[in-house]
Amino acid sequence: MIAHLPILQVALPLLAAPLCVLLRSARAAWWIYLLASVAAFGSALLLASSVATHGPLHYAVGNWAPPFGIAYVIDAANAFVLVLVSGIAVATAIYAPRSIAAEIDPQRVYLYYACLCLCLTGLLGIVATGDAFNVFVFLEISSLSSYALIALGKRRQALLAAFRYLVMGTLGGTFVLIGIGLAYAVTGTLNMADLAQRLPALYGNRTLTAAVGFVSVGLAIKAAVFPLHAWLPSAYAEAPSAAGVFLSATGTKVAIYAFLRFAFGIFGAGLVFGHLPMSALILIVGTAAMLAGAAIACYQDDLKRILAWSSVGQIGYIVVGLGLASQQGLSAAFLHISAHALIKGGLFATAGIVALRLGTTRIDALAGLARSAPAVFVALLLGGLGLIGVPLTAGFVSKWALVMALIEADQWAVIAAVLLSSLLALVYVGRIIEVAWFREPPLLADTAQPSTPAPMALAMWGLVGVSLVAGVYAAPLSRAATAAAAALLGTAP
Amino acid sequence: MTALFDALMQNPAVALWIAPLIPLAAAASSALLGGRRNLREGITVTAGVISAALAVALWPHAEAGLRVTLWDWLPGLTLAFELEPLGLLFATVASVLWPITSVYAAGYLRGNDEQHQSRFFACFALAIAAAIGIAFSANLITLFICYELLTLSTWPLVTHKGNADARKGGRTYLLILIGTSVGLLLPAIIWTYVLSGTTAFRSGGILAGQAGNATLTVLYALFLFGIGKAALMPFHRWLPAAMVAPTPVSALLHAVAVVKAGVFTVMKVSIYTFGLDTIRSSGAGELMMWVAALTMLTTAAIALTQDNLKARLAYSTISQLAYITLGAALAVKTAVLEGALHIATHAVGKITLFFCAGAIYTAAHKTRVSELDGMGMRMPYTFAAFTLASMSIVGLPPLAGSWDKLLLMEGALDAGFPLMMGVLMLGSLLSLGYLLPIPIRAFFRPAPGAASDDRVITDFPDGDPPPRPVPMQEAPLACVVPLCITAVTCVAMFFLEDRLIAPLARVLEGP
């Protein structure tokens, strides 16, 4: 059974999507999505435990041995991401129905779940596959479905946001395809393991260098790495709340994972970080991201936009971690991938509840929230503390690991930037908290707010709670991240 | 109850981690009990008495080197508590003054009809838990976490009134305290960890021989400026800003728990992270010593110009904190003992002064020094207490503050900085100048209304006006009793001081 799990957890959501469309019922579609995501989460957990005890898992799709068939390879690195993505998918499933009912035309709800199934398929596929071209295929599946998800947003601006994302995303996808094509041209294979074997002989080859460039820029667009982030803020802010939760927590993280896999599993660290000056470039870009994202977040006047810009900044931490290309740096990157996914997912879930209760997420409208919805306020506060990186939150654990890695690499300027952007995070989180805590609500708005639906509260507290537990009981997550980094670097036992 | 207590004392290590749990429990119960005021405040005061008793009962074990590991957090990061004399001194000061302040706060909040009283008591207890956590921290990481918790839990107290002023003050408070701690203290801790491979507090320090003199000087400066709660210039602005808080908060937190947490951390870092010998031999303390001296004199001069009573007390606090930082930076035994002693004596003295300021506000709604003429006879107990506490802070015998000023002068000589003696004398003169005029005005100047009456009376030809008794108008009993207790303590401590610092003195003399 375990042997077939790598394909099963991708295939189930893929099969679920057309089923949603065929049944055309919102309720049935939700059940299908819920079952698919729970199944994916279950298999991810099984895979992770199997990888932890028995080592990497190889699977040949349709029993076609590579290089002719497509191979799926699960090791500690992608098991880590699989668990994260499918776990968030389950939380989204719990969160979605009540939130969607308020935001999406009932006629289209089944389409929403179909898109969500496809998006999950794409993300899990990118992570699980051992074939370079397959990465592109799944990248397109996830991208196309997420354009549709964003376009389902309530306001008309959602269409513009989806269109912007579509233009940028298509550009990114094309770049990735060109890069893969070039690598295929020089090696004649698409299997990751084979590529990794044949490429070192070709270091210095212009075509290969171009391939690295195309893939890196393409994935940087997908991961919204500054300065290629322009699509992200409006896309996340305009998407339906329940899509925002899923996309913000998983979309960019998976693109970063894909870059990690290309850099370490295909091109090889020797080429990307040895021959080419990528390390310096990535550190500069990441540092700029964490400062610019956090600084711009301070000037937004909408809760979701603050969160989205904060994501641009937080991605910078992950990018810096991977730019170090060291064991410590990578494990810090993995830690921050998970910490930020949990925190930001929880915060977007909170923002969705705010949207449901107040009908808007403008900062001004939050006035009096601490009194009218104390639970929501506390979740907002705890998530915000995580973004700042206050000790005993998951955000601190990953930042601590990052700073330790930076010290090891003697990158003192970047450390200063990390601390500065943490202070900026204090400012933008402080603004939210201050309005919600102090400002008196306008008298007219004193009408009864709808109460928080229990499933939405459950999903919100689930995400916030797991992030808190991960902050306090940090050792297991830290071990998993270390194992993931070791698997990528090929130093795993 | 007593049996339970005895059992605890058999296992002082257990008592160590129960100590911060008691205020935590009080915080939870305050938050949950909501509007039932008598029960809520009863629980708070009871919890306060228990933690005070617990702290006092731990004194016989002060030098046993007890240690409990709370949590192995991450590789290299362990959360742990440890019992040592300096921490116990700070914990005792905080937890003994907590129940007294709670009684006072109950009177003050009711007397002034403040809003959100449950939130107030909950945050207050949380702050005490954080302070006790700081006191017992066994390493810099534990200390840092409790330090941040203290900042965050006091923010709702500073902004308690919720108006524009309070929000502005709260913003300054949070930005300076978190800004310095994240921007300077945390890097200093990380740097220490990188240099020495540990963040634990060890007798004699962990940095000896780990880095050059220049590095140590920079690191020491990072620490001392980064500990924003110690309010060294130019990071002192938060303290006057925090005076928008209700007076009980100013009293316990901004005269005792928060600011003392700052200087306590300074002392702890000086003694157990750097080691006194390292500070002296590397010259790391010399720079910070002058910064402290400058802070002491400048803020004392500013205090002279303040008419708002609480603002004057706030600047006086900054100036007095600099004495402790100076003691740590001089890094000789007598000076460090002064620092430890001053943590206790200044706490008791300054809390009394703030209690008085709050009592004056509650009884007469006066906030300015210039309005206090003739108030002495209306509020005799309050102003008698004010006089005693002022004299203690100035350092006049036979009051608590006199010993430590003496020790510090001796320390300055021991460390070879005779010039510092002059600075200290000037500091004392300035403190005399900004504190004593207040009771003098209150007792010896006629009240504004009474003054015109007097003139009318003296116009009588036979010139024998009947003495007119001034009606007494003290604040509620719940406010006056605590301030009398702390004022009497100022006197009592004069005779007890050697006991407070004897264990620390032995540690400093140790191997």
Side-chain angles (χ1 to χ4, degrees):
Chain A
M1 180 62 195
I2 294 254
H4 290 285
L5 280 180
I7 187 68
L8 202 64
Q9 48 109 22
V10 181
L12 275 178
L14 184 64
L15 294 175
L19 213 56
C20 291
V21 179
L22 284 176
L23 288 173
R24 283 186 173 255
S25 137
R27 177 158 281 274
W30 177 71
W31 273 106
I32 292 169
Y33 171 67
L34 177 70
L35 292 176
S37 60
V38 169
F41 186 46
S43 14
L45 286 176
L46 285 175
L47 282 172
S49 74
S50 152
V51 167
T53 46
H54 306 298
L57 217 77
H58 296 264
Y59 183 80
V61 177
N63 230 350
W64 288 82
F68 308 104
I70 292 170
Y72 278 36
V73 183
I74 311 288
D75 59 14
N78 50 9
F80 185 91
V81 184
L82 284 177
V83 171
L84 187 70
V85 170
S86 53
I88 301 280
V90 173
T92 312
I94 298 169
Y95 183 80
R98 296 296 295 272
S99 165
I100 287 306
E103 290 183 21
I104 295 184
D105 179 8
Q107 305 287 313
R108 296 196 188 152
V109 171
Y110 73 94
L111 285 175
Y112 164 83
Y113 287 113
C115 287
L116 214 50
C117 284
L118 282 178
C119 196
L120 179 62
T121 309
L123 296 178
L124 293 177
I126 296 173
V127 178
T129 189
D131 182 280
F133 188 75
N134 219 225
V135 170
F136 168 71
V137 172
F138 282 120
L139 193 66
E140 284 304 297
I141 294 180
S142 71
S143 301
L144 290 171
S145 52
S146 48
Y147 308 146
L149 278 176
I150 290 161
L152 282 170
K154 196 162 135 192
R155 305 200 304 166
R156 289 169 64 105
Q157 285 92 324
L159 293 177
L160 186 63
F163 184 69
R164 280 176 77 175
Y165 184 21
L166 181 135
V167 173
M168 293 285 283
T170 309
L171 211 63
T174 313
F175 275 21
V176 173
L177 181 61
I178 295 175
I180 294 172
L182 292 175
Y184 180 64
V186 290
T187 58
T189 180
L190 287 168
N191 182 283
M192 287 184 186
D194 291 345
L195 278 165
Q197 214 170 23
R198 291 180 202 177
L199 283 174
L202 299 165
Y203 283 5
N205 182 321
R206 283 265 169 119
T207 315
L208 186 58
T209 309
V212 174
F214 273 112
V215 170
S216 305
V217 174
L219 287 173
I221 293 178
K222 285 288 179 189
V225 174
F226 184 87
L228 303 170
H229 62 283
W231 61 268
L232 184 142
S234 53
Y236 284 4
E238 298 299 341
S241 301
V245 172
F246 183 66
L247 292 177
S248 68
T250 57
T252 52
K253 316 289 181 301
V254 167
I256 286 175
Y257 164 78
F259 176 77
L260 285 172
R261 183 58 78 183
F262 269 97
F264 292 95
I266 300 179
F267 296 128
L271 173 62
V272 180
F273 299 103
H275 269 262
L276 303 174
M278 288 284 271
S279 196
L281 192 66
I282 291 177
L283 282 182
I284 292 171
V285 166
T287 309
M290 59 189 162
L291 292 177
I296 296 172
C298 298
Y299 290 97
Q300 301 302 310
D301 48 15
D302 182 281
L303 177 59
K304 282 188 179 179
R305 279 185 192 271
I306 292 181
L307 295 180
W309 277 105
S310 141
S311 281
V312 173
Q314 301 276 331
I315 289 165
Y317 294 119
I318 307 176
V319 170
V320 163
L322 73 89
L324 292 175
S326 63
Q327 164 72 36
Q328 286 204 17
L330 284 181
S331 83
F334 273 107
L335 270 177
H336 203 64
I337 284 178
S338 53
H340 181 240
L342 291 167
I343 294 170
K344 200 46 81 61
L347 280 171
F348 265 102
T350 316
I353 294 176
V354 169
L356 184 75
R357 294 181 69 123
L358 306 177
T360 171
T361 51
R362 275 186 309 106
I363 285 288
D364 300 338
L366 295 182
L369 189 75
R371 242 164 297 160
S372 61
V376 178
F377 173 76
V378 171
L380 211 53
L381 178 67
L382 291 175
L385 292 179
L387 284 184
I388 301 169
V390 173
L392 294 185
T393 63
F396 177 80
V397 173
S398 57
K399 271 187 199 171
W400 175 264
L402 182 62
V403 168
M404 284 299 144
L406 286 167
I407 287 173
E408 193 198 40
D410 276 336
Q411 296 288 350
W412 298 98
V414 186
I415 295 177
V418 169
L419 295 171
L420 182 60
S421 83
S422 301
L423 288 178
L424 288 171
L426 176 71
V427 174
Y428 64 71
V429 171
R431 275 187 67 210
I432 304 173
I433 299 304
E434 210 182 62
V435 172
W437 175 262
F438 284 119
R439 210 174 290 171
E440 294 296 325
L443 287 173
L444 284 175
D446 207 26
T447 47
Q449 299 174 6
S451 60
T452 310
M456 289 174 80
L458 177 69
M460 171 181 82
W461 284 115
L463 290 169
V464 173
V466 172
S467 83
L468 287 179
V469 170
V472 177
Y473 188 52
L477 190 65
S478 164
R479 265 200 303 278
T482 311
L488 269 186
L489 288 169
T491 52
Chain B
M1 191 68 208
T2 40
L4 195 68
F5 211 76
D6 288 341
L8 262 184
M9 281 307 113
Q10 299 303 314
N11 294 301
V14 179
L16 202 55
W17 62 264
I18 285 189
L21 285 184
I22 296 169
L24 269 187
S29 72
S30 295
L32 294 176
L33 284 172
R36 273 175 285 175
R37 305 205 297 195
N38 292 330
L39 183 59
R40 176 188 69 203
E41 281 142 36
I43 288 179
T44 304
V45 174
T46 314
V49 171
I50 295 175
S51 36
L54 197 64
V56 171
L58 277 172
W59 272 87
H61 306 278
E63 291 155 82
L66 293 172
R67 198 187 144 87
V68 278
T69 301
L70 302 175
W71 192 250
D72 279 318
W73 190 19
L74 284 174
L77 296 189
T78 303
L79 304 188
F81 281 164
E82 195 174 41
L83 191 64
E84 52 78 43
L86 183 64
L88 186 55
L89 178 65
F90 174 48
T92 311
V93 169
S95 45
V96 166
L97 291 175
W98 179 37
I100 300 178
T101 314
S102 299
V103 173
Y104 179 85
Y108 181 91
L109 291 183
R110 292 179 189 194
N112 289 305
D113 250 343
E114 294 275 354
Q115 300 290 308
H116 307 300
Q117 296 192 7
S118 294
R119 185 178 86 193
F120 178 91
F121 279 102
C123 291
F124 210 97
L126 200 59
I128 296 298
I132 294 179
I134 291 177
F136 289 148
S137 292
N139 55 41
L140 284 166
I141 294 297
T142 317
L143 191 145
F144 183 75
I145 292 171
C146 297
Y147 183 95
E148 295 295 38
L149 180 65
L150 185 57
T151 309
L152 294 176
S153 61
T154 48
W155 182 66
L157 295 172
V158 171
T159 55
H160 187 82
K161 285 212 172 74
N163 53 22
D165 266 357
R167 283 211 297 272
K168 191 159 160 279
R171 208 175 296 160
T172 314
Y173 183 76
L174 208 58
L175 276 179
I176 295 187
L177 285 186
I178 297 214
T180 49
S181 71
V182 173
L184 302 171
L185 179 58
L186 187 59
I189 293 175
I190 293 170
W191 199 352
T192 307
Y193 181 61
V194 172
L195 286 176
S196 63
T198 176
T199 59
F201 293 119
R202 297 224 182 96
S203 189
I206 53 176
L207 283 169
Q210 303 283 358
N213 287 350
T215 309
L216 285 177
T217 308
V218 174
L219 188 57
Y220 195 58
L222 266 185
F223 266 115
L224 261 54
F225 283 122
I227 301 166
K229 292 194 172 96
L232 272 188
M233 280 178 119
F235 300 112
H236 66 288
R237 280 287 316 148
W238 65 268
L239 191 56
M243 289 302 133
V244 295
T247 308
V249 176
S250 310
L252 184 59
L253 300 177
H254 302 120
V256 182
V258 175
V259 291
K260 292 302 167 349
V263 284
F264 167 76
T265 310
V266 167
M267 300 270 295
K268 193 104 182 173
V269 165
S270 303
I271 301 175
Y272 296 103
T273 301
F274 278 81
L276 299 182
D277 296 335
T278 315
I279 294 182
R280 263 201 323 274
S281 63
S282 66
E286 206 165 324
L287 172 71
M288 296 319 291
M289 185 177 83
W290 291 112
V291 173
L294 185 73
T295 305
M296 180 197 300
L297 295 183
T298 317
T299 50
I302 297 175
L304 278 175
T305 68
Q306 299 292 315
D307 189 32
N308 185 307
L309 181 55
K310 276 178 79 180
R312 186 178 289 201
L313 294 182
Y315 278 104
S316 145
T317 301
I318 303 174
S319 173
Q320 296 293 321
L321 291 176
Y323 279 90
I324 304 174
T325 310
L326 179 59
L330 281 171
V332 289
K333 191 186 141 203
T334 36
V336 170
L337 287 179
E338 174 275 339
L341 202 53
H342 205 58
I343 287 183
T345 56
H346 176 250
V348 177
K350 194 48 76 64
I351 202 171
T352 312
L353 294 185
F354 273 111
F355 280 168
C356 293
I360 295 166
Y361 176 74
T362 311
H365 284 274
K366 298 195 182 204
T367 56
R368 304 191 161 276
V369 175
S370 51
E371 297 169 339
L372 295 181
D373 292 359
M375 292 290 291
M377 285 302 138
R378 276 179 64 188
M379 307 179 70
Y381 292 105
T382 304
F383 277 96
F386 197 101
T387 315
L388 278 179
S390 308
M391 284 160 64
S392 168
I393 284 178
V394 174
L396 302 175
L399 289 152
S402 51
W403 287 123
D404 43 277
K405 297 272 156 87
L406 211 65
L407 275 174
L408 187 57
M409 293 196 184
E410 204 182 317
L413 277 184
D414 285 353
F417 294 100
L419 184 58
M420 209 43 102
M421 296 266 289
V423 172
L424 292 172
M425 301 234 184
L426 190 57
S428 290
L429 275 180
L430 284 170
S431 63
L432 200 69
Y434 60 70
L435 280 177
L436 285 186
I438 301 169
I440 290 175
R441 280 186 98 117
F443 278 119
F444 298 114
R445 279 211 197 173
S452 57
D453 286 357
D454 284 350
R455 215 172 303 128
V456 174
I457 291 165
T458 44
D459 282 348
F460 280 114
D462 36 342
D464 191 20
R468 290 174 352 114
V470 185
M472 240 174 71
Q473 234 185 343
E474 282 279 7
L477 216 54
C479 291
V480 178
V481 171
L483 66 87
C484 291
I485 295 177
T486 51
V488 171
T489 315
C490 283
V491 184
M493 273 172 79
F494 178 79
F495 303 100
L496 293 173
E497 281 181 351
D498 52 334
R499 295 205 202 162
L500 289 177
I501 50 169
L504 182 65
R506 283 197 287 275
V507 167
L508 290 176
E509 267 167 14

